[in-house]
Amino acid sequence: MEGRDDRKMANGVGKHKLLVIGPTEPWSVREKLCLATSVMKSGDQNWVSVSRAIKPFAEPGRPPDWFSQKHCASKYSELLETTEAPKRKRGEKGEVVETVEDVIVRRLTGERIEELKKLIKETQETHRKLKREAELIQAGHLDSKLEELWEDIQLKRKQEEEEAELKRKNTDAAYQGKYCI
């Protein structure tokens, strides 16, 4: 049995194994990419440095300990477990060119690029829609519907505020439950 554990350690799998603790809400691709790049820079044993470096990149509404050392180590362990070891490529002097850290960062970078492309497309569509509405309003074609449009805007704003409050309460409750025994 010990030989099996040694192989896991040599492959880089299992050495970060921690119980899954902390946030139950999923990390965003952006947060995972920040984690992976910070680990690449600081090393996977320097969780103090990793945690400190990525705290400013938390998504809005995250609790203060979202990027705690334990949570970072646990999430990185998950990333390692869901990433295949890179194919062994050799450079000119025989060294391995790509590491598992490189694979993780490359994959997450690709996912983040796709997210940003989608966000840009959605933002452009929203801009076009708002521009058309503004032109119709300025031309006087929507004067009869202005009150209805204003009510829709207020309703959407209220729903967004309620959703944000519910999300905050759920996150707070999850963290309170985690610390209460």
Side-chain angles (χ1 to χ4, degrees):
M1 278 296 188
E2 287 180 13
R4 177 182 245 179
D5 290 339
D6 291 342
R7 272 183 274 145
K8 277 186 174 180
M9 295 293 269
N11 291 335
V13 178
K15 70 180 182 180
H16 305 286
K17 190 74 171 171
L18 293 174
L19 293 175
V20 177
I21 53 172
T24 55
E25 190 176 320
W27 285 35
S28 69
V29 173
R30 180 178 167 267
E31 290 171 326
K32 288 188 274 188
L33 180 57
C34 289
L35 173 65
T37 54
S38 184
V39 168
M40 185 180 268
K41 180 180 178 185
S42 302
D44 59 7
Q45 299 299 315
N46 194 351
W47 296 113
V48 173
S49 178
V50 169
S51 174
R52 188 179 307 126
I54 64 176
K55 273 190 187 199
F57 299 101
E59 299 291 334
R62 298 292 198 208
D65 66 341
W66 185 262
F67 286 133
S68 72
Q69 296 165 35
K70 287 182 181 181
H71 295 166
C72 288
S74 178
K75 180 52 70 174
Y76 196 72
S77 175
E78 287 177 33
L79 289 173
L80 284 172
E81 289 174 5
T82 58
T83 303
E84 286 188 36
K87 303 274 190 275
R88 296 190 62 82
K89 299 177 184 175
R90 300 250 178 229
E92 291 179 19
K93 297 180 181 176
E95 71 275 3
V96 175
V97 175
E98 189 174 52
T99 65
V100 70
E101 290 86 2
D102 295 328
V103 172
I104 292 170
V105 169
R106 187 180 71 242
R107 179 181 50 114
L108 290 172
T109 299
E111 288 178 25
R112 183 65 178 148
I113 288 169
E114 290 305 312
E115 266 187 357
L116 291 173
K117 284 180 181 178
K118 183 179 176 186
L119 183 61
I120 289 169
K121 191 174 184 179
E122 290 170 358
T123 303
Q124 287 173 336
E125 184 57 38
T126 301
H127 178 263
R128 278 192 288 276
K129 181 181 174 190
L130 291 173
K131 188 175 179 181
R132 269 181 280 166
E133 285 181 8
E135 289 169 354
L136 290 172
I137 290 170
Q138 288 174 346
H141 296 296
L142 295 180
D143 287 352
S144 61
K145 294 184 178 182
L146 283 178
E147 194 169 315
E148 183 182 327
L149 289 171
W150 179 245
E151 288 174 7
D152 287 346
I153 291 169
Q154 288 179 319
L155 181 63
K156 285 180 186 176
R157 188 177 293 159
K158 184 178 179 183
Q159 287 174 340
E160 288 171 357
E161 289 172 358
E162 288 172 355
E163 288 172 6
E165 180 65 18
L166 181 62
K167 184 177 178 181
R168 187 191 62 75
K169 284 181 180 179
N170 287 340
T171 301
D172 288 348
Y175 275 88
Q176 291 299 320
K178 179 178 110 178
Y179 294 115
C180 296
I181 296 178

